[in-house]
Amino acid sequence: MLHAVLSAIQKAVPEAEVILNCRAGTLQLMQQYYALKMRLRRSEWKQDLINRFHLVRLSSMVSSRISNHFTRYSPRHGVDVVFNIGGYQFGDQWHHTSAQVNMWKNYLSVLARNDTKIIFLPQAFGPFEAITSQQIGEILHHYADILIARDEISLENLRKVGVPSGKLWLYPDFTALVKTEQTSYGEQFSGRVCFIPNYKMIASGRQCHSDYVHSFCRLIDVTLSAGHEVFLLNHEGARDEALCREISEASGTPVPVCSGLNGLQTKAVISNSYLVVSSRYHGVASALNSGVPCLSTSWSHKYQTLLKGFGQEHAVVDLEDMNEATRKLESLLDSPVHQRVRKELMEFNRALEMQIESMWNAIWNFVSSVA
């Protein structure tokens, strides 16, 4: 997502100064790809101070306004626009605490008071049934300038908490325009079936740990039996990598694990795959907008709505019904069906790219109108 934003900024406002709310390693990586003037929100010595003295943990002992100064939610003065690319961060599934509610209120209210325009780029929202979720919804309502839902369900969830229609936009996932980077991993695993697990499937209670591992092993076995090579891809994080290793070891035949790639390299690996089976949202998105047939597990409405946007709503698999899941997998492995789906995806992608270009044009028009 960061690549998608920086690419759009470089194209439209190449003279912009960009402040990244991220780690130093991410800044260094982005500087390899973009000629923009970029820097971290917090200087290196401050970050080192925080890490060395564990100020983030100590901050829980003081007021929320003071504690925010020691986190990435400390608002800066002199910023014209903040782009939030959280993906999916607000709703009952996240069990927001009162401290998190106060953090977001302090952060966004100060930005708004400083005349910073706050734009939430396409992401999933809601539902907002729990009390703290409703409070988060009210904060978004009061302080955000634009909230871009990436599906109709999220849009309706925002409406239910009173966000006025003038602040609500509807656009699809905006990472489709990101160009991939060729990598030796992409060549190594080219033409294989890619399996992408997600620990959130377990943490959300969709399946217990052992059942989830067994389900992936069974789908891998079906794929191997059909004559296709496979690999596991760690899309993000240490817990997913551990899950990849566990699935590999539990499989009848050890499965190679691809890990440690950056975002562009990960998308390149996915785009070179024959087929993708993913529990990661952006694993699904990268497959679809690369024209690669995909099956998706789901722990949130965001998966169904993403697939629906590509005419693939039938591609969600319920791991509790493995007979149906294997039937869907065997169908997509079949060459005639596979080629038909690839053709359908490429047609949807042409329309998707036009929608994303339209979104960015609307954003820059808004920013210019309030400058």
Side-chain angles (χ1 to χ4, degrees):
M1 288 188 285
L2 184 55
H3 278 288
V5 176
L6 293 178
S7 178
I9 293 173
Q10 182 163 277
K11 180 180 177 181
V13 199
E15 71 279 9
E17 179 182 359
V18 180
I19 300 173
L20 299 182
N21 199 352
C22 63
R23 299 180 182 275
T26 303
L27 171 63
Q28 294 165 3
L29 177 64
M30 294 302 113
Q31 288 173 330
Q32 297 176 27
Y33 296 101
Y34 304 99
L36 291 164
K37 182 180 180 182
M38 293 182 282
R39 60 188 173 89
L40 293 177
R41 186 189 66 79
R42 178 184 287 116
S43 62
E44 287 292 328
W45 71 267
K46 286 185 180 179
Q47 186 63 57
D48 181 64
L49 182 70
I50 289 170
N51 294 338
R52 185 171 302 185
F53 294 101
H54 307 291
L55 292 178
V56 172
R57 278 181 283 172
L58 291 174
S59 68
S60 62
M61 302 167 58
V62 297
S63 74
S64 60
R65 286 191 180 276
I66 295 175
S67 69
N68 284 345
H69 183 72
F70 300 113
T71 74
R72 61 194 180 98
Y73 295 101
S74 175
R76 289 183 62 95
H77 294 274
V79 175
D80 297 309
V81 183
V82 165
F83 289 124
N84 181 286
I85 54 173
Y88 183 30
Q89 56 191 327
F90 304 120
D92 294 342
Q93 303 246 27
W94 299 104
H95 307 292
H96 303 292
T97 65
S98 296
Q100 290 171 331
V101 171
N102 290 331
M103 176 194 71
W104 278 105
K105 182 177 182 179
N106 293 339
Y107 177 61
L108 295 178
S109 64
V110 173
L111 286 173
R113 193 161 60 245
N114 292 339
D115 292 325
T116 298
K117 299 308 168 188
I118 304 168
I119 300 175
F120 285 79
L121 291 174
Q123 51 193 278
F125 295 95
F128 300 105
E129 299 296 333
I131 292 176
T132 52
S133 296
Q134 292 175 17
Q135 292 170 338
I136 288 283
E138 292 171 1
I139 291 168
L140 296 176
H141 168 199
H142 286 295
Y143 300 114
D145 291 282
I146 298 173
L147 292 158
I148 310 179
R150 64 186 177 198
D151 59 79
E152 293 280 0
I153 294 175
S154 295
L155 192 71
E156 184 59 28
N157 287 336
L158 288 169
R159 286 195 180 112
K160 287 180 179 178
V161 291
V163 179
S165 58
K167 289 187 175 184
L168 294 178
W169 295 9
L170 178 64
Y171 284 98
D173 177 77
F174 62 102
T175 60
L177 298 183
V178 174
K179 304 304 179 185
T180 61
E181 173 184 296
Q182 290 307 309
T183 168
S184 57
Y185 283 107
E187 298 171 2
Q188 178 183 350
F189 297 115
S190 179
R192 296 192 183 197
V193 177
C194 173
F195 286 84
I196 307 175
N198 182 358
Y199 188 81
K200 187 68 176 178
M201 285 289 294
I202 300 167
S204 66
R206 291 289 176 172
Q207 270 201 313
C208 73
H209 193 119
S210 59
D211 285 351
Y212 184 67
V213 171
H214 176 73
S215 296
F216 258 65
C217 288
R218 184 171 171 186
L219 293 175
I220 288 171
D221 185 57
V222 168
T223 306
L224 291 171
S225 297
H228 292 270
E229 293 185 285
V230 301
F231 71 101
L232 286 153
L233 174 62
N234 172 27
H235 195 280
E236 182 180 335
R239 289 191 300 186
D240 282 8
E241 180 175 12
L243 197 54
C244 286
R245 304 289 178 192
E246 183 177 355
I247 293 169
S248 175
E249 292 174 5
S251 298
T253 302
V255 179
V257 175
C258 180
S259 187
L261 307 184
N262 64 42
L264 294 185
Q265 293 169 337
T266 298
K267 186 171 182 179
V269 168
I270 291 172
S271 68
N272 285 329
S273 299
Y274 177 77
L275 172 70
V276 171
V277 179
S278 177
S279 292
R280 273 277 174 189
Y281 178 89
H282 279 101
V284 178
S286 292
L288 296 175
N289 60 49
S290 298
V292 178
C294 179
L295 290 178
S296 168
T297 67
S298 172
W299 61 270
S300 160
H301 74 269
K302 64 181 183 175
Y303 293 87
Q304 287 88 342
T305 54
L306 172 63
L307 287 157
K308 183 178 180 181
F310 287 85
Q312 301 293 310
E313 53 267 44
H314 56 279
V316 177
V317 295
D318 180 2
L319 295 182
E320 293 298 318
D321 185 354
M322 286 304 296
N323 289 332
E324 180 67 7
T326 55
R327 186 194 65 77
K328 289 183 176 181
L329 176 58
E330 288 168 343
S331 176
L332 267 186
L333 290 170
D334 180 66
S335 183
V337 175
H338 184 91
Q339 292 304 319
R340 174 177 58 78
V341 173
R342 277 187 177 263
K343 183 178 178 180
E344 291 173 354
L345 291 176
M346 296 313 296
E347 292 173 355
F348 274 97
N349 272 301
R350 282 190 283 271
L352 178 67
E353 291 175 1
M354 292 177 64
Q355 292 179 60
I356 297 171
E357 291 284 5
S358 175
M359 179 197 76
W360 281 114
N361 288 336
I363 287 173
W364 300 129
N365 287 338
F366 169 79
V367 172
S368 297
S369 70
V370 296

